[in-house]
Amino acid sequence: MFITFEGGEGTGKSTQALILAETLKKHNINVVLTREPGGSPGAEIIRNLLVTGSVDRWSTMSEVLLMYAARADHWQNTIKPALDQGDWVLCDRFADSTVAYQGYGRGVDLEFLQVLYQHVIGNTEPNFTFIFDLDVQEGLKRATARMEGDIVVEGRFEAMDIEFHQRIKDGFLKIAKEHPTRCVTLQADDHPRVIHRQILKFLQEKGALDWNSLPA
Ligand code: TMP
């Protein structure tokens, strides 16, 4: 099972990926919890290039290719081997983030992004994608508060203007609409426990989880 968590800044998707991983482990499911950009030693090095430094550090095309360089390494070394051995992979961001951020956010041709996907990943898609939707101002406020006190500030994207973040939010909603079988949109301002139960319920209804009652 390959599940991705997507959304704008400060939407709580990383927390939900972590809580779901813990619940699944309690039910003896082998889980690999990972993230993008990053998730393998090589991709983590590329992540550092992408998320630190000034907003205009990379051209849009360099940014796309770095995202896909990281994704290729992550796919080859972390995701694919885990899926091949039957583990569940929970991935905090994946290719929908490139469509939302670099496609809808920065105007990169969506067909070009699709071609990159085909060459790097092939025909595999996430089984399910949870898209976390939140007011842009609120999300940025949460993300900025989280970074306070960090030694390495991963704030390159958070520092981009509000219109960019609004295009990303709208982009994710568009992706959800275009892929109704794979994607489900969650209201990220609900309580984390409520969101976790919604996720479990969705996975049960889809037949991905076969235990009879939801865990407490
Ligand atoms: P994170 O803060 O969720 O770990 O993600 C790091 C940043 O990278 C986040 O601001 C979104 C951005 N990003 C893209 O712009 N394109 C992508 O394809 C991915 C995976 C992330």
Side-chain angles (χ1 to χ4, degrees):
M1 194 63 58
F2 180 26
I3 299 179
T4 56
F5 295 74
E6 297 279 11
E9 309 298 328
T11 54
K13 62 190 169 37
S14 312
T15 306
Q16 288 300 327
L18 182 66
I19 306 174
L20 179 61
E22 281 167 3
T23 300
L24 294 173
K25 281 179 196 164
K26 273 191 217 150
H27 287 78
N28 300 318
I29 292 172
N30 289 331
V31 183
V32 173
L33 175 62
T34 188
R35 68 171 180 181
E36 289 205 350
S40 62
E44 287 291 329
I45 294 170
I46 301 171
R47 175 189 176 92
N48 191 259
L49 297 173
L50 280 161
V51 299
T52 64
S54 63
V55 164
D56 58 3
R57 181 177 187 183
W58 303 110
S59 71
T60 302
M61 188 50 76
S62 300
E63 196 172 279
V64 168
L65 296 175
L66 283 168
M67 287 295 173
Y68 260 95
R71 183 160 300 134
D73 193 80
H74 184 213
W75 178 258
Q76 205 62 41
N77 294 304
T78 304
I79 302 179
K80 190 166 184 305
L83 293 176
D84 285 348
Q85 66 177 32
D87 294 348
W88 281 49
V89 174
L90 308 187
C91 193
D92 181 356
R93 296 197 183 282
F94 190 60
D96 291 325
S97 277
T98 317
V99 173
Y101 279 75
Q102 284 69 46
Y104 289 112
R106 290 194 184 279
V108 174
D109 179 26
L110 299 181
E111 279 179 25
F112 171 64
L113 295 180
Q114 190 54 39
V115 170
L116 274 175
Y117 188 98
Q118 279 291 324
H119 280 268
V120 173
I121 308 296
N123 291 323
T124 310
E125 281 208 325
N127 296 86
F128 303 113
T129 297
F130 295 107
I131 294 187
F132 290 72
D133 187 46
L134 184 65
D135 173 71
V136 168
Q137 301 268 17
E138 175 61 23
L140 287 172
K141 209 164 74 189
R142 287 191 197 179
T144 310
R146 195 184 51 208
M147 280 186 296
E148 268 169 26
D150 284 0
I151 296 165
V152 178
V153 177
E154 293 193 335
R156 195 173 148 258
F157 285 92
E158 286 82 349
M160 293 174 191
D161 60 50
I162 192 99
E163 290 78 16
F164 172 73
H165 289 285
Q166 189 63 49
R167 287 197 297 280
I168 288 160
K169 173 184 157 76
D170 297 343
F172 275 123
L173 293 177
K174 203 151 184 258
I175 292 168
K177 222 170 163 184
E178 282 166 5
H179 301 92
T181 314
R182 170 171 69 86
C183 297
V184 55
T185 306
L186 299 165
Q187 290 314 309
D189 46 8
D190 282 338
H191 192 283
R193 214 173 316 131
V194 173
I195 299 175
H196 181 53
R197 289 192 73 82
Q198 285 172 348
I199 289 174
L200 291 179
K201 194 159 172 272
F202 175 85
L203 292 173
Q204 278 190 317
E205 282 169 4
K206 292 285 180 180
L209 289 175
D210 59 5
W211 66 80
N212 291 326
S213 57
L214 290 174

